[in-house]
């Protein structure tokens, strides 16, 4: 619950900002397409701040605990959402409103820099044996739940105030809702227990100087590169449909953005169910086949689906449902699959840095690049970008070194063994030379 609710807040905050850009840009930035592009730039800047946050807060999460890092990030995110709700307009503050807008997004980006990696580490270290990928899908389901809630809030605001009412200041209510959601997540996380594996590692290292982090980073650099590339396709595919589809349909078919927004709720709910199913499947056949299969489907389906939308041969909500169904497997398995590639001691930083760099480069700039292409008359290139990054991610899965051949594997096994001491009966404890099933044999992680 602590992991899932935080993911929901992150998704709500970031998706809502992107969806509200057409409504608040005229008040906080400037009228016209230029103001929209600058506001989307704030979306990108928030993502660009995440890699630095993944190092700063991630190191704290690796040293002080997953729970502490999750509490800090949620406190800052909630405060930032409330700050966005009360920002003065450009008419009152001039360029200062843009500076404040970007500043808040940077601070939120720093706070969320380690959120994904910390959640992934927390879930991988606390999920029951044999259901790790199912729990991975459930934890990422928070992202979907946050997105659904975001669309529901936006749909309610549009129904109550209309597009003009949102442009005249109604958008502030959306950010205020994000702040309240963040406070709820903070209260839930206060009652969460610390990761037992983190505590076991901390106890073992008391009085024993730990191995330098630099050595651990060198040991996992190949998997870090793989995570960077694997994240690209997931991010572009997800933001194409969940964030940019209303704008895409408006540019290609003239469908009002409000109508496109409302139609996305059903496809996102289908994605939530599909993620639980594919997560359970991954627990049976391995994460890697499910991850690769989903990327292959995404690569092949994206361009035809969006071409059908442009030609009005397929309704946007059906295309969105099919596209998100292709992404369900990779999204469901990513949290635990990625986290399992790194040792406990540096897991948050080692996972967080490549993850946030990739999200910043490919996801944070996606709406900005897509809108720039649309303004230049090349909207048809947008789905090609998503398809190409899916192909890149699929290819990069062959960079991964499996845990049983990786240098950090022995350390991971030792951490898992310490975490289980006192829980298993002596005759049930695994031998030191046997890999712990919690971190998965090759069958668990994937072939």
């Amino acid at each position: 619950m602590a992991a899932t609710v935080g993911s929901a807040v992150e998704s709500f905050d970031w998706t809502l900002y992107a969806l509200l850009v057409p409504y608040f840009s005229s008040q906080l930035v400037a009228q016209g397409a230029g103001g929209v592009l600058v506001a989307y730039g704030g979306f990108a800047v928030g993502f660009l701040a995440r890699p630095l946050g993944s190092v700063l807060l991630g190191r704290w999460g690796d040293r002080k605990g997953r729970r502490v890092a999750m509490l800090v990030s949620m406190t800052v995110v909630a405060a930032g959402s409330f700050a966005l709700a009360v920002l003065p307009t450009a008419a009152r503050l001039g360029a200062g409103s843009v500076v404040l807008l970007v500043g808040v997004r940077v601070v939120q980006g720093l706070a969320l820099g380690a959120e994904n990696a910390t959640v992934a580490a927390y879930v991988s270290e606390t999920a029951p044996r044999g259901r790790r990928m199912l729990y991975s899908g459930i934890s990422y389901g928070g992202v979907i739940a946050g997105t659904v809630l975001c669309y529901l809030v936006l749909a309610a605001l549009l129904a109550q105030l209309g597009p003009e009412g949102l442009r005249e200041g109604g958008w502030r209510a959306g950010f205020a809702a994000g702040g309240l959601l963040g406070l709820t997540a903070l209260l839930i996380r206060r009652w969460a227990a610390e990761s037992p594996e983190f505590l076991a590692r901390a106890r073992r290292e008391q009085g024993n100087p730990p191995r330098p982090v630099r050595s651990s980073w060198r040991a996992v650099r190949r998997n870090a590169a793989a995570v960077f590339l694997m994240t690209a396709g997931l991010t572009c595919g997800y933001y194409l449909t969940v964030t940019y589809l209303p704008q895409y349909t408006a540019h290609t078919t003239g469908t009002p953005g409000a109508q496109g927004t409302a139609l996305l709720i059903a496809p996102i709910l289908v994605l939530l169910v599909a993620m639980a199913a594919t997560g359970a499947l991954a627990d049976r056949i391995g994460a890697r086949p499910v991850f690769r299969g989903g990327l292959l489907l995404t690569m092949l389906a994206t361009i035809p689906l969006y071409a059908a939308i442009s030609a009005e041969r397929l309704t946007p909500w059906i295309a969105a449902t099919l596209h998100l169904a292709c992404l369900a497997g990779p999204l469901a398995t990513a949290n635990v699959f990625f986290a399992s590639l790194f040792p406990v001691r540096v897991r948050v930083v080692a996972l967080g840095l490549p993850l946030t760099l990739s999200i910043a480069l490919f996801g944070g700039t996606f709406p900005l690049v897509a809108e720039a292409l649309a303004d230049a008359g090349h909207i048809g290139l947008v789905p090609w970008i998503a398809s190409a990054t899916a192909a890149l991610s699929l290819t990069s899965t062959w960079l991964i070194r499996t845990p049983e051949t990786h240098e950090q594997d022995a350390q991971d096994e030792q951490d898992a063994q310490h975490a289980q001491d006192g829980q298993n009966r002596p005759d049930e404890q695994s031998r030191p030379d046997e890999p712990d099933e919690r971190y998965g044999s090759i069958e668990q992680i994937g072939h």
Side-chain angles (χ1 to χ4, degrees):
M1 175 63 81
T4 303
V5 72
S7 298
V9 173
E10 178 195 6
S11 174
F12 183 94
D13 176 84
W14 237 253
T15 304
L16 185 70
Y17 180 94
L19 293 176
L20 286 180
V21 162
Y23 301 104
F24 71 72
S25 59
S26 60
Q27 283 200 332
L28 295 183
V29 187
Q31 297 281 349
V36 172
L37 285 175
V38 171
Y40 274 133
F43 183 81
V45 167
F47 274 104
L48 294 175
R50 289 191 178 200
L52 178 58
S54 73
V55 175
L56 297 177
L57 192 57
R59 287 173 67 89
W60 199 6
D62 281 329
R63 293 179 179 178
K64 303 296 184 181
R66 318 310 193 200
R67 177 179 175 274
V68 173
M70 291 193 298
L71 285 172
V72 171
S73 66
M74 205 45 49
T75 300
V76 176
V77 170
S81 295
F82 284 126
L84 289 174
V86 296
L87 281 181
T89 63
R92 293 181 55 190
L93 202 60
S97 64
V98 179
V99 173
L100 289 176
L101 174 66
V102 174
V104 171
R105 298 305 290 176
V106 168
V107 172
Q108 286 185 307
L110 290 172
L112 287 172
E115 173 71 15
N116 287 343
T118 305
V119 165
Y122 188 81
V123 173
S124 69
E125 294 163 9
T126 58
R129 293 186 182 190
R131 291 190 290 173
R132 296 169 61 223
M133 297 303 163
L134 174 60
Y135 274 61
S136 177
I138 292 173
S139 68
Y140 200 91
V143 174
I144 311 304
T147 303
V148 171
L149 183 58
C150 172
Y151 279 110
L152 289 173
V153 169
L154 182 57
L157 289 174
L158 285 168
Q160 186 69 27
L161 304 175
E164 285 304 315
L166 275 184
R167 293 188 185 95
E168 293 300 320
W171 53 267
R172 297 183 185 274
F175 289 124
L180 293 174
L181 184 62
L183 289 181
T184 302
L186 183 61
L187 291 174
I188 292 174
R189 285 186 168 183
R190 282 176 57 87
W191 295 100
E194 183 56 87
S195 159
E197 286 188 29
F198 173 83
L199 294 175
R201 190 265 298 175
R203 286 194 299 268
R204 188 180 65 253
E205 290 182 349
Q206 285 181 352
N208 298 316
R211 184 175 56 184
V213 171
R214 184 175 299 177
S215 299
S216 297
W217 176 250
R218 286 198 302 266
V220 299
R221 64 185 181 275
R222 185 184 180 98
N223 283 353
V227 167
F228 175 84
L229 296 173
M230 288 189 294
T231 303
L234 302 186
T235 302
C236 287
Y238 186 81
Y239 276 100
L240 169 64
T241 296
V242 173
T243 300
Y244 195 70
L245 181 58
Q247 290 288 93
Y248 182 88
T249 56
H251 284 301
T252 58
T253 69
T255 302
Q259 182 178 342
T261 296
L263 289 176
L264 274 173
I265 295 175
I268 292 173
L269 289 175
V270 171
L271 173 62
L272 189 61
V273 175
M275 284 174 56
T278 52
L281 176 64
D283 280 321
R284 296 179 62 86
I285 69 173
R288 202 171 304 185
V290 173
F291 191 86
R292 285 173 173 167
L295 285 173
L296 178 61
L297 289 173
T298 302
M299 178 187 72
L300 297 175
T302 300
I303 295 171
L305 287 174
Y306 275 79
I309 293 174
S310 300
E312 298 189 66
R313 294 195 302 268
L314 201 61
T315 59
W317 77 268
I318 293 178
T321 301
L322 295 174
H323 189 252
L324 291 177
C326 294
L327 280 169
L331 291 174
T333 55
N335 268 356
V336 170
F337 181 36
F338 291 176
S340 298
L341 302 176
F342 304 101
V344 174
R345 179 180 294 112
V346 293
R347 178 165 288 154
V348 178
V349 172
L351 171 59
L353 186 57
L355 186 70
T356 53
L357 280 172
S358 185
I359 292 174
L361 179 61
F362 295 99
T365 61
F366 189 86
L368 179 64
V369 171
E371 194 66 13
L373 286 172
D375 287 345
H378 302 299
I379 188 68
L381 293 178
V382 174
W384 283 86
I385 294 174
S387 181
T389 54
L392 175 66
S393 296
L394 176 61
T395 304
S396 68
T397 60
W398 277 272
L399 287 175
I400 297 172
R401 289 182 179 177
T402 55
E404 54 270 30
T405 60
H406 200 275
E407 294 178 31
Q408 112 281 334
D409 196 39
Q411 181 65 51
D412 277 354
E413 293 170 18
Q414 186 180 8
D415 289 340
Q417 180 64 50
H418 276 272
Q420 291 192 352
D421 284 348
Q423 298 180 16
N424 296 337
R425 294 191 300 272
D427 60 334
E428 292 178 336
Q429 291 181 355
S430 57
R431 296 190 303 273
D433 59 343
E434 289 183 330
D436 191 306
E437 292 180 7
R438 180 181 175 78
Y439 275 84
S441 61
I442 183 63
E443 291 81 16
Q444 181 72 8
I445 299 301
H447 299 286

